[in-house]
C-alpha cells in the first residue's frame, strides 16, 4: 500500500490527486502527517479527494491513528490516516 | 444527530469521551472544527475515541467535508467530520 507523506506546505490539490489516484488503483492508501499544520493539510486533501471521487461514483473513509515516525534519527509522534475507497 | 464543536484549546480526552459516548448511543455524530489547530484536536480526539471504542468491540470511520459556519455574523470555512460507528 502506498504511503503519502503530507507536510505543512504540501499543496492540497496535489495530495488530493495522489489520494484519488492511489485509491482508484489500489482501493486504499495511507497518509502520514506530523504536526497540526500538516494534519490540517491532510484532512483538506482527503475532503478534496472526495470531490474528485464523487465524479467517478465512489467515496472515501478515513480512519486516523496515532503513530510514530523516525525523522533524522528522532522519533516523532504523527497521525496516520488509513484511507479506503467505499 | 449531535454536533460537537472542537476548538484549538479543546481537551482531546474530553472530546474523545463525547465522541465515543455519542456514537455508542446514536451510532454517529458530527464534529465541526475551524482552523488548523482545531482540526488537529478533532483528529486526535477521533483517534483517541477509537481507543475507547476498541475496548467495547467497535470502531469509527470519519469522513471529512468542507463546510461553512457562521461565527458572530461572519461566515467561516470549517471542516466537518461525519463520524460513524462500525
Amino acid at each position: 500500500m502506498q504511503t503519502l507523506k503530507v507536510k505543512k506546505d504540501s499543496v492540497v490539490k496535489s495530495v488530493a490527486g495522489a489520494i484519488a489516484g492511489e485509491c482508484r488503483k489500489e482501493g486504499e492508501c495511507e497518509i502520514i502527517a506530523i504536526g497540526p499544520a500538516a494534519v490540517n493539510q491532510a484532512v483538506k486533501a482527503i475532503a478534496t479527494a472526495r470531490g474528485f471521487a464523487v465524479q467517478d461514483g465512489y467515496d472515501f473513509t478515513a480512519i486516523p491513528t496515532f503513530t510514530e515516525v523516525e525523522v533524522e534519527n528522532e522519533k516523532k509522534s504523527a497521525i496516520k490516516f488509513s484511507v479506503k475507497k467505499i
Side-chain angles (χ1 to χ4, degrees), chain A:
Chain A
M1 190 189 343
Q2 189 78 18
T3 300
L4 308 167
K5 282 177 191 161
V6 176
K7 295 181 178 175
K8 63 181 175 187
D9 54 1
S10 293
V11 178
V12 168
K13 273 203 173 174
S14 308
V15 179
I19 294 170
E22 200 54 41
C23 287
R24 192 183 306 121
K25 212 168 50 182
E26 303 290 340
E28 59 185 349
C29 70
E30 275 183 1
I31 304 169
I32 300 274
I34 303 171
V39 168
N40 186 51
Q41 292 303 86
V43 169
K44 283 159 71 178
I46 297 166
T48 304
R50 291 186 59 215
F52 299 161
V54 159
Q55 296 166 19
D56 293 338
Y58 62 93
D59 201 352
F60 301 119
T61 60
I63 299 183
T65 318
F66 293 107
T67 188
E68 277 195 339
V69 291
E70 211 172 293
V71 182
E72 290 163 4
N73 294 321
E74 209 184 319
K75 279 200 175 169
K76 294 198 173 196
S77 69
I79 294 285
K80 182 177 78 181
F81 293 91
S82 300
V83 180
K84 283 194 169 68
K85 184 178 164 180
I86 48 171

